[in-house]
Amino acid sequence: MDRDQHLRQAAYKEIEKHQLLVEQDPYRLHYHIMPLVGLLNDPNGFVQWKGTYHLFYQWMPFETGHGAKFWGHYQSKDLVNWKHEGIALTPAEWFEKNGCYSGSALVHEGQLYVFYTGNVKDEEGNRESYQCLAVSEDGVHFDKKGPVVQLPRGYTAHFRDPKVWEQNGAYFMVIGAQTDDWKGAVVLFTSSNLVDWKHVGIIAGGGKGPLEAFGYMFECPDLFHLDGQDVLVFSPQGLEPDGMKYHNVYQAGYVTGIFEAEKTSYKHGEFYELDHGFDFYAPQTTRDEKGRRILFGWMSVPDQGEQDHPTIQHQWLHNMTLPRELKLVNGKLYQSPVAELRDLREGDAIEREVSINQETRWVKGVEGKALELELKEINLKAGWLAISFGGSGRIVYSRNDQVFTMERESYVDGVVEKRQTEVKELHDLQIFLDTSSIEVFINGGEYVFTSRFYPSPNNESIQFRASQTVSFHLKKWKLRRVF
Ligand code: FRU
């Protein structure tokens, strides 16, 4: 048996071996993409091809830790119901032996091309990285073509996560990098045939321009055209907390600007965080056949208490966010859950006009572990409104401070921790609660908070509390289980 076969078999055995234990976990999510066993991280190779959405993911089948990653694979016709397609890539060859790291997909001449990073480490821990190509006829089985980009001079071996696109008949690739003097950077390559790639240079970061002092490594870059601008999404490492910003170990966000393909130049503005919660990293987008720009993120952050999640007792760790449609409104990225997610709603909504006056309120029928809440026409002139979930997670909007806060009981030590951002006015909220996650979309997706949290499995209560007077139109749907 060759190494690829051997790794596949060993990984499938792990799934079989732990299936019962995994399924018994009360924190297994109901409608978010998760690994069947082991650890899931970045979304990879997200693409719609002949009507079908393909989402690959970074996967460690053998433990709930990082290491020599595989690419796992899910498929869907509608972004709601997903089928596990098994293993797409195993770290079997010399150029990827310590992991088939993150990358992207592109449809070319009726085939699916995936570009990913081959991660290699020697006994002393010295790293090498190769940007590799694999091609598929059916989107499921891949033929590895090996490295197509070698590490150019000027960068350390932290050089990874190729995102490839076609523009005006030419091909472009952005890569996340660290310069020799330890600055995070996004590096551009061009090609006319997807096999021979030319190193153009740094288009963002590298210790210059608006990202001058901006950390020591950029991961998972993604450059795309949206609503008249070119948006560069990436995940910088090494930022210090700054006011309410940058409190997670690493960040994920974007700049907007103009990419001139002929001049291969990119002029851009300042960095904004994409999400203000505890758990959001390494997002990747695709343009689907309806012309929408859709994003998936990893609902975690590397090196952030990963070994303390209670799900590791059940031999699995981490999940994806919901798919979100992106729009650019007055220069800012708005994210809203894709319309298809309405298909998760089970039965009719519970609908109420709620008004609260210096009290705590439960609303009949508004409880549960997997649900969607919508608050519209929020009328809050002073004071604050708080909503608690299962007694261990809470969101608070203070009208007086113009600050939105998400709090959770830490799964590391039980202490309440918080993340915040400034929100001038609160108009509406759309909230997706799953057994151990929450995604809050504020003002039509202008701000988003994404987090894991672990309420006691039999506490399904939802409490509304206001310091003064608040009213809103409330809708609640139960959401069905698809995983
Ligand atoms: C981001 C990341 C990528 C890398 C992958 C490895 O979370 O560190 O830069 O390709 O994870 O799993």
Side-chain angles (χ1 to χ4, degrees):
M1 195 176 9
D2 70 10
R3 199 172 144 69
D4 178 68
Q5 284 306 320
H6 174 78
L7 285 168
R8 270 168 208 269
Q9 274 201 10
Y12 286 130
K13 261 199 196 138
E14 282 300 290
I15 296 177
E16 244 181 75
K17 185 167 140 203
H18 299 291
Q19 192 183 355
L20 253 162
L21 181 66
V22 170
E23 284 172 2
Q24 280 164 355
D25 188 355
Y27 293 129
R28 205 70 185 143
L29 295 156
H30 287 193
Y31 56 91
H32 285 86
I33 289 174
M34 298 167 286
L36 297 184
V37 69
L39 175 146
L40 166 151
N41 57 309
D42 312 355
N44 291 161
F46 183 30
V47 70
Q48 189 181 20
W49 185 29
K50 293 188 250 171
T52 300
Y53 293 94
H54 295 262
L55 184 73
F56 302 87
Y57 59 93
Q58 286 287 286
W59 185 37
M60 166 41 73
F62 305 120
E63 52 173 317
T64 51
H66 294 273
K69 298 285 168 61
F70 290 53
W71 273 36
H73 183 191
Y74 277 100
Q75 279 198 23
S76 173
K77 292 273 183 220
D78 56 11
L79 295 168
V80 176
N81 302 289
W82 293 89
K83 176 170 173 275
H84 196 251
E85 266 308 334
I87 297 166
L89 302 174
T90 70
E93 304 293 331
W94 67 267
F95 49 79
E96 59 188 10
K97 76 176 176 61
N98 300 94
C100 298
Y101 274 12
S102 287
S104 56
L106 181 84
V107 177
H108 177 63
E109 294 179 348
Q111 293 178 314
L112 193 65
Y113 278 51
V114 300
F115 295 86
Y116 64 100
T117 301
N119 183 47
V120 176
K121 274 186 185 167
D122 68 15
E123 257 112 71
E124 278 102 55
N126 297 314
R127 189 187 285 265
E128 288 166 23
S129 51
Y130 302 93
Q131 314 313 315
C132 305
L133 168 64
V135 178
S136 175
E137 300 279 339
D138 59 4
V140 175
H141 305 92
F142 285 86
D143 182 13
K144 287 181 185 166
K145 306 290 184 195
V148 290
V149 171
Q150 307 282 339
L151 181 66
R153 276 170 190 239
Y155 311 99
T156 74
H158 286 285
F159 198 76
R160 55 179 169 265
D161 313 334
K163 178 84 198 283
V164 172
W165 75 99
E166 187 269 338
Q167 196 169 327
N168 308 335
Y171 299 101
F172 298 88
M173 176 191 282
V174 278
I175 295 188
Q178 175 174 69
T179 61
D180 271 343
D181 57 350
W182 291 47
K183 304 280 193 290
V186 175
V187 180
L188 181 73
F189 285 72
T190 55
S191 173
S192 58
N193 59 11
L194 291 171
V195 176
D196 304 299
W197 290 92
K198 183 171 155 265
H199 172 222
V200 176
I202 294 174
I203 57 158
K208 298 200 181 76
L211 301 174
E212 192 185 340
F214 218 71
Y216 53 78
M217 171 68 192
F218 292 176
E219 296 189 315
C220 301
D222 187 353
L223 180 61
F224 53 87
H225 194 72
L226 184 70
D227 302 329
Q229 291 275 306
D230 296 297
V231 180
L232 175 66
V233 167
F234 62 102
S235 296
Q237 300 189 322
L239 305 187
E240 294 296 327
D242 172 8
M244 285 184 258
K245 295 189 292 191
Y246 313 153
H247 285 268
N248 291 332
V249 174
Y250 309 124
Q251 278 61 49
Y254 67 98
V255 297
T256 61
I258 299 296
F259 176 68
E260 290 190 72
E262 309 72 45
K263 295 195 207 147
T264 54
S265 81
Y266 184 55
K267 289 209 176 58
H268 65 84
E270 61 177 304
F271 180 85
Y272 298 102
E273 284 178 288
L274 263 169
D275 199 285
H276 304 279
F278 293 91
D279 295 297
F280 183 86
Y281 195 69
Q284 187 178 83
T285 73
T286 194
R287 186 172 186 274
D288 78 351
E289 288 166 0
K290 291 188 181 133
R292 297 177 298 179
R293 180 59 56 175
I294 302 177
L295 172 146
F296 266 105
W298 173 34
M299 204 189 285
S300 187
V301 177
D303 307 326
Q304 192 168 273
E306 289 189 89
Q307 281 314 308
D308 292 301
H309 285 266
T311 66
I312 64 171
Q313 300 156 34
H314 287 268
Q315 200 59 31
W316 72 280
L317 186 56
H318 303 320
N319 59 283
M320 294 297 170
T321 65
L322 291 174
R324 303 167 178 182
E325 182 176 352
L326 300 183
K327 294 239 160 70
L328 205 61
V329 183
N330 300 326
K332 291 280 181 61
L333 272 186
Y334 278 49
Q335 305 170 63
S336 34
V338 296
E340 286 90 331
L341 293 167
R342 289 184 199 133
D343 181 47
L344 287 169
R345 296 171 181 172
E346 213 168 52
D348 294 334
I350 289 181
E351 202 168 345
R352 298 267 187 283
E353 293 300 333
V354 180
S355 114
I356 309 176
N357 191 356
Q358 299 179 34
E359 62 189 321
T360 302
R361 175 74 70 79
W362 289 263
V363 179
K364 192 159 183 284
V366 177
E367 59 189 11
K369 56 171 92 212
L371 53 86
E372 180 186 341
L373 284 185
E374 189 187 84
L375 282 76
K376 286 214 159 142
E377 295 155 39
I378 301 175
N379 188 356
L380 173 66
K381 297 264 172 348
W384 49 259
L385 164 69
I387 312 175
S388 308
F389 302 91
S392 70
R394 196 165 90 118
I395 53 176
V396 185
Y397 177 66
S398 164
R399 181 72 176 80
N400 297 355
D401 302 338
Q402 301 187 317
V403 171
F404 198 99
T405 304
M406 175 173 278
E407 295 172 353
R408 71 173 176 194
E409 248 171 49
S410 160
Y411 52 80
V412 179
D413 54 17
V415 172
V416 173
E417 47 186 356
K418 64 181 181 192
R419 293 289 181 269
Q420 298 187 302
T421 196
E422 188 186 335
V423 174
K424 288 238 181 308
E425 254 178 284
L426 181 64
H427 304 293
D428 54 74
L429 288 172
Q430 193 180 5
I431 301 169
F432 285 83
L433 187 71
D434 205 337
T435 57
S436 54
S437 77
I438 184 163
E439 283 153 287
V440 179
F441 298 87
I442 301 167
N443 295 346
E446 185 180 3
Y447 306 95
V448 187
F449 281 75
T450 301
S451 295
R452 294 303 296 285
F453 77 116
Y454 298 96
S456 150
N458 39 32
N459 188 344
E460 300 191 353
S461 73
I462 296 178
Q463 278 178 34
F464 300 86
R465 225 181 123 108
S467 66
Q468 299 186 27
T469 309
V470 56
S471 65
F472 48 86
H473 188 84
L474 176 70
K475 278 190 183 178
K476 175 249 165 179
W477 291 267
K478 185 178 187 319
L479 299 184
R480 72 188 163 87
R481 187 166 192 169
V482 290
F483 289 99

